[in-house]
Amino acid sequence: MSFINNREIIKVALFFLMFLNFELPFAQTLPTGFSTTNISSGWVQPMGTTFNADGTKLFVWEKAGKVYVCNWNGTTYVKQSTPVLDISPEVGNWRDHGLLGFALDPNFDVNGLIYCLYVVDRHYLMNFGTGSYNAATNNYYSATIGRLTRYATSSNAGNLTAILATRTILMGETKTTGSPVLYESHGVGALVFASDGTLLVATGEGASYDATDDGDVAHTYYIQGLSDGIIRANENVGSFRSQMLNSLNGKILRIDPVTGNGISSNPYYNPASPKSAQSRVWALGLRNPFRMSIRPNTGSTNPAVGDIGEIYVTDVGWFEIEELNIISKPGSNCGWPFYEGLGSQYEFATLINQNKDEPNPLYGISGCTQQFFTFRNLLKQATADEIHTVYNPCNAVIPITGGNDNRFFHHIPTIDWKHGPGTDSARVAVFNTNDYTIKQIGSAGSGVTGTPFAGNAAVAGCWYNGTLFPPEYNNTYFISDYGASWIKNLTIQYTDKVQKVTGFASNFGAIIHMSQNPMDESLFAIDYISQTIKRITYGGNQPPVVKLSSDKIYGPGPLNVNFTGNTSYDPDGPAVSYSWDFGDGSALNTTANPSHVFSSANSNPKKFVVKLTVKDNLNSTSIDSIIISINNTPPNVFITSPVNNSFYQLGADTLYSLQANVTDAEHRSNELSYAWQIILRHNTHEHPEPLDTNKTISEMISRIGCNGDNFYWFIKLTVTDADGLSKTDSSKILPYCGGPLPLSLVSFRVTAGARSNIVTWVTANEVNLKKFEIERSYDGSNFISIGTENARMNTGNNTYSFNDDTFLDGYIYYRLKMIDNDGKFSRSLIVRVFSGSVTSNELTISPNPFKNDFLFGAVYKQKGMIMIRLIDSKGVVVKTFNKQVNAGFNSFQIDKLGNLNKGVYFLEAIQDNIIRKTKLIKE
């Protein structure tokens, strides 16, 4: 999966504001009469859906390498508990790679054949079948290949199962015969069967998304690729592989699904080498054709004719343009990397790299010194006269020949659109003379009705040829944009010209695949971020929409909670009824906005799952739920590594240790569950990694950026206790592109010892650094220096350790000061640790919850001075009081607290290095 695409230059002042879009929820919108429901659940990075001929079997494939089937039971689709196929050990599930393409044989209901297109884990590629292979080992961030395999399936005890012994490799039998993958994106894409039974395979250009890659880009894996034979020396040209007939990269391939050979009617077929790249090429010049589909009822059913119909290909753009290509001619050249959308891609346009697979026959004749054609020599911009001829640079009257000449002529996209918010610009080409002009849709002379729009990653599309939707949608094309979360509907005439663009859905999610269900003609869409399968339908009785909320979700019992349900609604009309199940055995409540008291027989934490069922007047129901947890507070979560808002300098991929300080007042550590989420955010879209549920993990971070794009890594940790309460913390790490000194920390942590604290930090890069200064505080705001360490001036990772043996009881705060050779410095975020012991002696708070003040009481063994500290849920000291006490019980009024935010607080009473602690709530 490759969504990393554009290089949109946005002012630094807008950088963080723009990414707020990732945190804000928006309501999805659909035209009147349309509705959406989720199909099944429990998906892990689903990539697409497809159906058997009658729609009774829904297939879903996941990025990690699993294929599932859901069977229609007359009412809904039921997910088979075991996967049809699990090839996870073989699949390279990293960054944008994985099992991305899947297809059923056109005769699946008879022969049971399935096809899988994926990136191979390098460890598997290099070691499978040898003593060095270990199924539990992965080797990611390395050169590898894309592979296409076929399996037969059978029914086994009622479950559909792939027969592993039937595995047949159709492409990528060895490391030298697959589609090269030399970076984190643009590996493989979609699989589609044409009407003639041939199989179409989409492949990316396998190059860097972060540089003008014409070969030898240091952060790619080209050296490994050359050493392993994954690419030939001639193919070390980066993005230009898209223009090479002898490379599998950046192409639409057309193959025989039985043998894997190219088809004899392919434009560059070589009967002496039917499995060669050129024998398989149908179209070229693509960057990342992640998804494609064929317009129904187009193309011949005879593979010898060479008419496969109209292929609709969404090609993910780089600098600023997304595009939709309609390919109907063999050998069509979509122009990458010289063209992006309807215009020139200027960073590649002036490059004169040689295509060493294309020798110049005039070399050495009449003073011709050009031994090979350049890629630039072999492609011209489209013109109305359709003259495809290009001429030899050594003689302007001698044409360059080489089979089908469509590859010399830019096949311009049907429509393109620009990136980013505030850049609404959707364009088509109009030929008034021999050259075309670019027109905004909706403008005079464009021939297209509609309003310009923006997007970020064109990744899904589907032809609709059903009758379930209103007539205006029949025989139209639905297209989605991953970054902009919209679906649009295109009316396209028989000449492949867009006539009308209509907005269909907005704020609909990160859609990466769409398909039509042949059984009921509904549309299915994969939302990659929410990991849901959405079914879009029209008419009939639509189920009601449940919306519920509560004024609180936790607190000491007995806890009175006010619920709101009257924002639920029925799309078909106003009539709805409510049924609340409070999860405690009490009677159902049928009011819209009830109140309920939750209690238990003791003071232990307890969870209640509250369900709201909303029913319309035709008895269609929808259910949603919320957790109420009494005698409980959420965990405290603070990510200590990587340090929030720290920087990395550009360079090789680096393994970061992800760690957090986590405490919970009511639960032991083994009663807490962890969910780490790593996300690369790139301009207005994001690339999430799979969730990791380990307590501490390591993650490979690509140190990329500073190319005009906005990149940063977002690390999120959610910790959930055994009674349903969760807390999330996050950390960002960003590329250093000049300006103030970066804080180049990989990690910064403190470990509490018996009578000392160990401060440890790891740096990613120490260029121009002079020294480190360790600072300590007792209150989190007033810091003093307690020591220094000289920097080692190495460019790799360095680990430091400092022992603070000036022991203090209670909570201690540390931070790190980094000083460069010019005296500039940066500071890390604060790490808070606890030293000493907390007694369980009773402290009293009355009232609790409190509003503006409370009475605090405790028993003391002796006369003396105590410190009382009020700490918020993030560990920040918000109030400090020093009080003189006598032996025995003492009480104090703590007031002037009306300006504190509502929420959970902790109170500490400290005397003679002994800390007593209790919990209270501000309401």
Side-chain angles (χ1 to χ4, degrees):
M1 170 187 56
S2 174
F3 310 141
I4 295 183
N5 57 348
N6 54 35
R7 299 188 55 200
E8 180 184 48
I9 300 175
I10 299 178
K11 293 181 180 179
V12 173
L14 296 177
F15 179 79
F16 292 103
L17 292 176
M18 178 182 66
F19 282 106
L20 289 177
N21 290 333
F22 289 103
E23 312 297 342
L24 300 176
F26 296 97
Q28 67 182 30
T29 60
L30 286 167
T32 301
F34 286 89
S35 62
T36 179
T37 54
N38 290 344
I39 301 298
S40 191
S41 62
W43 304 108
V44 179
Q45 296 184 297
M47 299 308 301
T49 58
T50 192
F51 299 86
N52 69 333
D54 62 6
T56 56
K57 292 185 182 298
L58 161 67
F59 286 82
V60 181
W61 63 100
E62 295 180 337
K63 184 170 177 280
K66 294 181 180 180
V67 178
Y68 286 93
V69 65
C70 301
N71 297 294
W72 181 254
N73 68 359
T75 304
T76 187
Y77 284 101
V78 179
K79 180 181 179 182
Q80 182 175 291
S81 60
T82 57
V84 175
L85 176 67
D86 183 358
I87 52 173
S88 303
E90 182 180 357
V91 171
N93 180 27
W94 53 284
R95 288 298 185 263
D96 286 351
H97 301 311
L99 172 60
L100 305 189
F102 177 82
L104 300 179
D105 193 276
N107 295 314
F108 169 80
D109 289 332
V110 176
N111 60 31
L113 297 178
I114 61 175
Y115 301 80
C116 300
L117 180 63
Y118 51 92
V119 167
V120 183
D121 171 24
R122 179 178 170 85
H123 176 76
Y124 186 100
L125 178 69
M126 307 300 289
N127 297 287
F128 185 76
T130 73
S132 300
Y133 176 69
N134 184 336
T137 300
N138 298 317
N139 186 349
Y140 297 163
Y141 309 97
S142 303
T144 184
I145 64 168
R147 173 174 284 172
L148 172 65
T149 54
R150 182 186 71 231
Y151 291 85
T153 60
S154 66
S155 182
N156 183 7
N159 288 333
L160 188 68
T161 306
I163 306 171
L164 300 183
T166 65
R167 177 178 184 266
T168 303
I169 302 178
L170 300 174
M171 182 185 76
E173 298 90 337
T174 68
K175 61 185 179 181
T176 63
T177 58
S179 174
V181 175
L182 301 180
Y183 200 48
E184 300 172 356
S185 245
H186 310 175
V188 296
L191 282 180
V192 175
F193 272 94
S195 298
D196 62 5
T198 61
L199 182 57
L200 305 184
V201 182
T203 64
E205 33 103 273
S208 171
Y209 55 74
D210 191 45
T212 306
D213 189 352
D214 61 347
D216 293 352
V217 172
H219 62 248
T220 67
Y221 319 130
Y222 78 93
I223 295 176
Q224 256 185 343
L226 288 169
S227 175
D228 296 335
I230 290 173
I231 57 171
R232 300 172 290 116
N234 288 3
E235 290 179 278
N236 184 29
V237 290
S239 297
F240 287 113
R241 284 190 292 273
S242 293
Q243 291 293 323
M244 299 182 73
L245 295 184
N246 291 329
S247 173
L248 293 172
N249 283 127
K251 307 295 191 302
I252 302 298
L253 310 174
R254 179 175 176 241
I255 68 169
D256 182 336
V258 176
T259 64
N261 292 342
I263 308 299
S264 60
S265 54
N266 282 351
Y268 311 108
Y269 182 76
N270 178 2
S273 183
K275 277 199 173 180
S276 64
Q278 72 171 55
S279 289
R280 293 166 161 176
V281 170
W282 180 261
L284 67 159
L286 293 156
R287 179 177 183 262
N288 176 29
F290 181 68
R291 291 290 177 246
M292 64 179 172
S293 59
I294 295 182
R295 183 169 181 169
N297 304 314
T298 62
S300 169
T301 58
N302 182 358
V305 173
D307 176 10
I308 63 173
E310 299 170 5
I311 315 170
Y312 282 62
V313 182
T314 51
D315 197 15
V316 183
W318 183 41
F319 200 88
E320 61 175 356
I321 299 292
E322 301 301 307
E323 63 185 67
L324 168 65
N325 297 278
I326 302 178
I327 300 171
S328 57
K329 297 178 180 179
S332 293
N333 190 333
C334 295
W336 177 258
F338 288 117
Y339 299 103
E340 183 180 35
L342 292 166
S344 174
Q345 211 310 305
Y346 65 85
E347 293 200 9
F348 285 95
T350 58
L351 299 182
I352 55 173
N353 297 64
Q354 293 180 327
N355 184 345
K356 292 187 177 180
D357 283 354
E358 304 272 358
N360 187 348
L362 298 185
Y363 175 65
I365 301 173
S366 300
C368 178
T369 60
Q370 186 171 328
Q371 184 177 2
F372 300 96
F373 293 127
T374 66
F375 291 101
R376 180 76 270 181
N377 294 148
L378 301 174
L379 184 62
K380 61 173 289 189
Q381 184 57 290
T383 51
D385 58 22
E386 289 281 338
I387 296 175
H388 295 189
T389 308
V390 294
Y391 294 91
N392 197 300
C394 290
N395 189 322
V397 299
I398 298 180
I400 297 174
T401 59
N404 186 304
D405 64 1
N406 282 333
R407 74 174 177 121
F408 301 141
F409 191 76
H410 180 204
H411 178 79
I412 59 175
T414 300
I415 188 171
D416 72 12
W417 58 95
K418 288 191 175 181
H419 293 155
T423 57
D424 291 349
S425 177
R427 314 179 306 172
V428 294
V430 176
F431 285 95
N432 293 319
T433 62
N434 198 39
D435 297 321
Y436 65 79
T437 57
I438 299 176
K439 296 280 189 179
Q440 293 287 340
I441 67 170
S443 67
S446 69
V448 182
T449 302
T451 303
F453 54 89
N456 200 266
V459 295
C462 174
W463 257 95
Y464 186 79
N465 65 337
T467 58
L468 173 65
F469 291 1
E472 61 266 30
Y473 293 102
N474 189 27
N475 291 319
T476 62
Y477 183 71
F478 286 92
I479 189 170
S480 72
D481 189 287
Y482 172 85
S485 298
W486 51 247
I487 299 175
K488 297 191 182 294
N489 180 257
L490 278 59
T491 301
I492 301 174
Q493 61 173 229
Y494 69 95
T495 61
D496 296 338
K497 300 293 184 183
V498 177
Q499 292 180 305
K500 183 170 71 172
V501 178
T502 306
F504 181 75
S506 59
N507 302 317
F508 200 71
I511 303 303
I512 59 170
H513 188 274
M514 288 192 289
S515 61
Q516 182 180 334
N517 185 345
M519 180 171 60
D520 64 2
E521 299 179 343
S522 60
L523 280 183
F524 279 57
I526 296 287
D527 182 349
Y528 184 69
I529 298 299
S530 68
Q531 302 189 79
T532 57
I533 302 172
K534 298 181 176 182
R535 176 178 177 261
I536 303 171
T537 189
Y538 179 82
N541 180 43
Q542 300 180 53
V545 176
V546 180
K547 292 182 176 293
L548 77 159
S549 61
S550 64
D551 64 342
K552 58 182 76 74
I553 62 171
Y554 65 89
L559 181 67
N560 183 67
V561 181
N562 299 310
F563 293 95
T564 300
N566 66 350
T567 53
S568 304
Y569 64 92
D570 181 10
D572 300 313
V576 294
S577 64
Y578 308 88
S579 177
W580 293 86
D581 180 349
F582 297 116
D584 58 359
S586 61
L588 298 178
N589 188 302
T590 57
T591 60
N593 303 318
S595 296
H596 190 74
V597 176
F598 296 86
S599 60
S600 63
N602 53 47
S603 60
N604 295 331
K606 188 172 183 179
K607 176 178 69 174
F608 301 88
V609 179
V610 179
K611 297 179 181 179
L612 170 59
T613 301
V614 177
K615 182 184 295 185
D616 67 14
N617 56 2
L618 294 178
N619 291 322
S620 179
T621 61
S622 296
I623 302 174
D624 201 357
S625 63
I626 191 171
I627 290 175
I628 304 297
S629 191
I630 67 170
N631 303 324
N632 194 16
T633 57
N636 295 302
V637 182
F638 179 67
I639 295 177
T640 58
S641 172
V643 174
N644 189 29
N645 290 324
S646 59
F647 290 82
Y648 57 81
Q649 294 195 354
L650 305 189
D653 297 346
T654 301
L655 193 66
Y656 278 67
S657 175
L658 274 55
Q659 300 176 351
N661 284 341
V662 177
T663 60
D664 190 285
E666 297 83 15
H667 296 85
R668 298 184 299 273
S669 60
N670 63 354
E671 295 178 301
L672 305 177
S673 61
Y674 289 68
W676 289 93
Q677 176 78 74
I678 317 299
I679 301 170
L680 173 61
R681 287 181 169 171
H682 177 212
N683 290 339
T684 56
H685 64 280
E686 59 182 32
H687 308 255
E689 297 288 316
L691 288 175
D692 195 312
T693 57
N694 290 299
K695 185 175 181 180
T696 61
I697 66 173
S698 296
E699 177 68 17
M700 188 68 72
I701 297 296
S702 302
R703 291 192 283 157
I704 59 175
C706 305
N707 64 350
D709 280 16
N710 289 305
F711 285 100
Y712 72 89
W713 290 92
F714 185 75
I715 294 93
K716 181 170 65 175
L717 171 62
T718 300
V719 179
T720 305
D721 67 27
D723 290 284
L725 294 185
S726 298
K727 191 68 171 290
T728 298
D729 192 30
S730 62
S731 178
K732 295 178 183 177
I733 49 177
L734 308 97
Y736 174 54
C737 302
L741 178 73
L743 183 62
S744 54
L745 287 178
V746 174
S747 65
F748 176 49
R749 60 194 297 261
V750 182
T751 304
R755 297 297 295 177
S756 65
N757 292 323
I758 309 299
V759 184
T760 306
W761 66 97
V762 180
T763 61
N765 198 307
E766 295 179 15
V767 175
N768 199 38
L769 280 182
K770 182 178 181 179
K771 65 179 180 179
F772 304 92
E773 190 167 342
I774 303 92
E775 299 175 321
R776 183 183 64 202
S777 169
Y778 193 63
D779 60 7
S781 59
N782 300 301
F783 284 84
I784 61 170
S785 174
I786 58 172
T788 60
E789 294 281 345
N790 291 326
R792 296 178 184 141
M793 299 308 297
N794 293 331
T795 58
N797 282 10
N798 292 287
T799 301
Y800 295 86
S801 184
F802 178 85
N803 184 29
D804 178 18
D805 55 8
T806 307
F807 187 76
L808 296 174
D809 281 296
Y811 284 102
I812 312 297
Y813 301 82
Y814 292 89
R815 71 182 180 190
L816 190 67
K817 185 176 180 181
M818 303 175 65
I819 304 170
D820 70 7
N821 290 325
D822 299 320
K824 298 177 183 177
F825 67 88
S826 293
R827 283 195 175 100
S828 72
L829 290 185
I830 299 166
V831 171
R832 175 174 175 262
V833 298
F834 174 75
S835 300
S837 60
V838 176
T839 70
S840 59
N841 292 13
E842 183 178 2
L843 303 176
T844 63
I845 303 291
S846 179
N848 189 10
F850 69 93
K851 290 185 177 180
N852 299 313
D853 53 56
F854 59 83
L855 187 67
F856 162 71
V859 176
Y860 295 92
K861 294 181 179 180
Q862 60 188 22
K863 180 180 179 179
M865 183 66 68
I866 68 164
M867 175 185 287
I868 301 172
R869 302 200 305 174
L870 194 60
I871 302 168
D872 68 15
S873 60
K874 295 181 180 179
V876 177
V877 177
V878 295
K879 293 284 184 181
T880 301
F881 309 92
N882 292 306
K883 299 287 186 179
Q884 182 72 33
V885 299
N886 297 314
F889 181 79
N890 293 256
S891 65
F892 306 100
Q893 186 76 17
I894 307 296
D895 54 16
K896 298 180 180 179
L897 303 176
N899 61 341
L900 292 182
N901 293 327
K902 295 180 180 180
V904 177
Y905 291 84
F906 298 92
L907 184 143
E908 295 177 345
I910 306 168
Q911 184 187 42
D912 296 332
N913 294 330
I914 300 297
I915 298 178
R916 289 184 287 176
K917 184 175 180 179
T918 190
K919 178 180 64 179
L920 61 162
I921 297 174
K922 171 71 163 56
E923 64 179 11

